[in-house]
């Protein structure tokens, strides 16, 4: 029991006992607010072990619980600030009591502690979303082991080879979920073998422009098979973090597969719709559900994926119409026309195609029937075309036309007619005409049959 006791280190004298009540009193939290807070979190403010339990509450769970408390009780911002300060002080004070006689071995596992301000943090743009310049907190060994254990518990085993998320991908997604954001990943950087790809992307995404090193946008998967490789890693990531169930993830991937099967030559349109759905619609749907009080507390993102899966049993009429406008209707057109139509639907040319944004750029010349629209030729100086004598070709063409006219006037009878000199009598119906042409005289243009 002595080794498990919790204490506060002081500059002099023995450590003093700390409870949730003393921490609440230190921030001048009212007695009424304390009662509501501990009842809402189901904690005993005088219990020693409850102090440990409070310090171990995951940050994203604590943030959600405190938000619900402040909204339900109608507390002002000042009370919310006191509660937040209380938990900050709690994590700063709570630690295992030191054991002077025991010296930890050199190869002891790292302690499960929150990373300090001096801890090196990773960049989201290298592992999760290339447009996100924020930093994520690294995982401890215990956290990493727990996430991997979650996958084994929910599926019966670890992810298959090449489908396991890297430790960096796990850490970045954990931070993203803790911020209350949608579990979106950018398949331009989120790929199998995440740690290996992270090193490559760090340099591949940099190019020299005017002797300066600048960042460029990494391209998304160019085929459905490449998309599926990244999706399977994302699937494992969602299972490890207990964010979405395997069945819901498989149904979403099945919906994309059905669209590809129906429109195999329109992968760009399908990818664009999926990117918008995961990157924008998921988050917007969560906000709408939260505002109306319909967002469930238990696995909310699993619920949102079920609502937005193409062909899913719980897909709403609104979402079905969204998939129709963004995939089914555009894919009935040629590729270039389909992309232009999707621009009209979205109201912008900034569309996330596999090759990057603004794939249907009006400023760039686009091939059409093996020829450009002329913007490329207008960019250079005018050049006069070389002279060609086509008179012999024209005479030969006229001679061929005369022969064709004579051959086409064969019928079943005989006729005489005076007609155009170029066409020696035109016979009607099935009559076989013998025409005599005299100059441009138009009399007898149609020969009458003779006995």
């Amino acid at each position: 029991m002595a080794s498990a006791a919790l204490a506060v280190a002081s500059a002099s004298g023995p450590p003093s006992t700390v409870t949730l009540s003393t921490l609440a009193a230190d921030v001048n939290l009212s007695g009424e607010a304390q009662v509501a807070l501990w009842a809402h979190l189901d904690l005993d403010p005088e219990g020693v072990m409850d102090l440990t339990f409070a310090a171990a509450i995951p940050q994203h769970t604590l943030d959600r619980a405190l938000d619900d408390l402040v909204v339900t009780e109608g507390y002002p911002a000042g009370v919310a600030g006191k509660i937040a300060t209380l938990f900050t002080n709690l994590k700063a004070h709570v630690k295992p009591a030191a054991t002077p006689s025991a010296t930890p071995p050199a190869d002891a596992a790292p302690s499960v502690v929150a990373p300090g301000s001096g801890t090196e943090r990773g960049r989201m743009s290298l592992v999760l979303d290339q447009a996100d310049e924020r930093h994520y907190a690294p995982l401890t060994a215990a956290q990493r082991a727990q996430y991997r254990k979650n996958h084994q518990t929910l599926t019966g085993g670890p992810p298959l080879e090449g489908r396991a998320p890297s430790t960096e991908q796990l850490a970045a997604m954990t931070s993203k979920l803790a911020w209350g954001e949608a579990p979106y990943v950018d398949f331009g950087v989120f790929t199998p073998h995440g740690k290996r790809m992270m090193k490559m992307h760090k340099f591949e995404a940099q190019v020299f422009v005017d002797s300066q090193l600048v960042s460029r946008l990494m391209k998304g998967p160019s085929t459905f098979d490449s998309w599926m490789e990244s999706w399977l890693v994302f699937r494992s990531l969602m299972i490890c973090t207990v964010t979405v169930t395997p069945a819901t993830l498989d149904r979403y991937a099945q919906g994309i597969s059905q669209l590809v099967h129906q429109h195999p030559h329109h992968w760009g349109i399908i990818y664009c719709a999926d990117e918008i759905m995961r990157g924008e619609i998921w988050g917007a749907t969560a906000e709408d559900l939260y505002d109306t009080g319909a967002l469930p507390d238990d696995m909310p993102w699993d619920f949102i994926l079920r609502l937005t899966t193409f062909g899913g049993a719980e897909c709403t009429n609104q979402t079905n119409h969204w998939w129709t406008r963004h995939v089914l209707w555009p894919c009935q057109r040629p590729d270039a026309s389909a992309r232009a139509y999707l621009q009209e639907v979205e109201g912008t040319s900034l569309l996330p195609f596999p090759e990057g944004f603004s794939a249907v750029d009006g400023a760039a010349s686009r091939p059409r029937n093996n020829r450009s629209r002329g913007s490329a030729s207008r960019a250079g100086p005018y050049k006069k075309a070389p002279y060609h004598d086509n008179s012999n070709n024209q005479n030969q063409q006229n001679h061929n036309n005369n022969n064709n006219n004579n051959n086409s006037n064969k019928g079943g009878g005989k006729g005489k007619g005076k007609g155009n000199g170029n066409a020696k009598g035109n016979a009607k119906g099935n009559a076989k005409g013998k025409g005599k042409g005299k100059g441009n005289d138009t009399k007898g243009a149609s020969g009458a049959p003779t006995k």
Side-chain angles (χ1 to χ4, degrees):
M1 292 293 295
S3 61
L6 297 173
V8 181
S10 58
S12 62
S16 58
T17 303
V18 175
T19 64
L20 294 174
S21 294
T22 60
L23 291 174
D26 290 342
V27 297
N28 296 325
L29 189 64
S30 66
E32 180 183 354
Q34 290 186 43
V35 172
L37 174 63
W38 308 134
H40 189 73
L41 298 179
D42 193 21
L43 295 171
D44 180 4
E46 302 298 336
V48 176
M49 292 305 299
D50 288 78
L51 196 69
T52 306
F53 299 152
I57 298 175
Q59 190 62 46
H60 65 281
T61 303
L62 179 63
D63 292 341
R64 186 186 304 170
L66 296 182
D67 287 343
D68 292 341
L69 174 66
V70 172
V71 173
T72 302
E73 299 294 334
Y75 288 145
V79 175
K82 291 180 179 180
I83 295 175
T85 304
L86 186 159
F87 280 92
T88 300
N89 295 340
L90 170 65
K91 293 182 179 181
H93 283 77
V94 174
K95 63 179 181 179
T99 308
S101 59
T103 302
D107 58 347
S111 302
V112 182
V113 294
S117 59
T119 303
E120 183 178 357
R121 296 170 180 260
R123 289 175 54 191
M124 303 282 286
S125 59
L126 293 178
V127 295
L128 216 64
D129 182 358
Q130 55 187 318
D132 192 344
E133 294 297 333
R134 295 174 295 179
H135 293 77
Y136 62 86
L139 296 178
T140 64
Q143 289 173 328
R144 182 186 65 248
Q146 182 59 50
Y147 285 133
R148 292 178 177 176
K149 184 178 179 180
N150 290 341
H151 193 285
Q152 187 163 355
T153 301
L154 295 174
T155 64
L160 298 178
E161 183 179 358
R163 299 181 183 179
S166 66
T167 302
E168 292 78 12
Q169 290 171 337
L170 274 169
M173 179 54 70
T174 302
S175 296
K176 194 177 185 70
L177 294 173
W179 298 332
E181 298 181 3
Y184 165 76
V185 295
D186 180 356
F187 285 164
V189 293
F190 186 89
T191 59
H193 309 289
K195 191 175 185 67
R196 192 181 309 169
M197 297 301 293
M198 179 182 69
K199 294 180 180 180
M200 185 188 73
H201 289 326
K202 185 174 183 179
F203 300 99
E204 188 181 23
Q206 301 287 323
V207 294
F208 278 99
V209 177
D210 295 333
S211 301
Q212 293 184 353
L213 194 63
V214 299
S215 298
R216 69 173 181 181
L217 184 69
M218 302 298 298
K219 296 181 180 180
S222 58
T223 64
F224 172 67
D225 291 338
S226 299
W227 180 92
M228 182 57 72
E229 290 179 1
S230 294
W231 173 265
L232 291 175
V233 181
F234 174 74
R235 178 183 185 274
S236 300
L237 179 61
M238 292 293 95
I239 295 173
C240 288
T241 56
V242 197
T243 304
V244 186
T245 62
T248 301
L249 292 162
D250 292 342
R251 289 192 186 99
Y252 183 89
Q254 183 184 47
I256 301 298
S257 177
Q258 290 173 350
L259 292 172
V260 173
H261 180 74
Q262 294 175 3
H263 308 285
H265 303 296
H266 284 282
W267 167 242
I269 297 295
I270 299 171
Y271 170 83
C272 179
D274 164 71
E275 185 74 10
I276 295 174
M277 174 59 70
R278 294 186 297 107
E280 301 177 19
I281 304 301
W282 282 0
T285 303
E287 293 176 356
D288 294 340
L289 292 174
Y290 182 86
D291 294 344
T292 58
L295 186 66
D297 294 331
D298 184 27
M299 301 187 74
W301 296 112
D302 184 84
F303 179 63
I304 290 173
L305 259 71
R306 297 201 308 269
L307 295 181
T308 56
T309 294
F310 173 76
E314 300 179 56
C315 184
T316 63
N317 292 333
Q318 180 181 0
T319 306
N320 267 326
H321 183 62
W322 187 94
W323 283 110
T324 299
R325 295 184 68 213
H326 286 74
V327 178
L328 299 184
W329 287 348
C331 286
Q332 296 175 5
R333 303 163 176 258
D335 185 64
S337 176
R339 296 188 175 205
Y341 176 84
L342 196 54
Q343 281 186 334
E344 295 178 2
V345 170
E346 282 291 305
T348 177
S349 62
L350 295 176
L351 300 178
F353 290 107
E355 59 270 27
F357 280 90
S358 300
V360 194
D361 189 359
S365 60
R366 178 162 49 90
R368 188 173 183 178
N369 295 335
N370 297 325
R371 54 189 178 85
S372 67
R373 292 191 173 189
S375 58
S377 62
R378 287 195 297 269
Y382 171 75
K383 295 181 180 180
K384 184 177 180 180
Y387 173 76
H388 296 285
D389 186 1
N390 296 325
S391 58
N392 292 332
N393 294 336
Q394 184 65 36
N395 293 335
Q396 182 64 34
Q397 183 179 1
N398 292 337
H399 177 71
N400 292 338
N401 290 338
N402 292 338
N403 291 338
N404 291 336
N405 288 335
N406 289 334
N407 293 334
S408 64
N409 293 328
K410 293 182 180 180
K414 295 182 179 180
K416 293 183 179 180
K418 296 180 180 180
N420 190 293
N422 291 333
K424 298 180 180 180
N426 293 323
K428 285 186 177 179
N430 294 324
K432 183 176 182 180
K434 291 185 178 179
K436 295 182 179 180
K438 294 184 179 180
N440 290 326
D441 187 5
T442 59
K443 293 182 180 181
S446 297
T450 59
K451 295 182 180 180

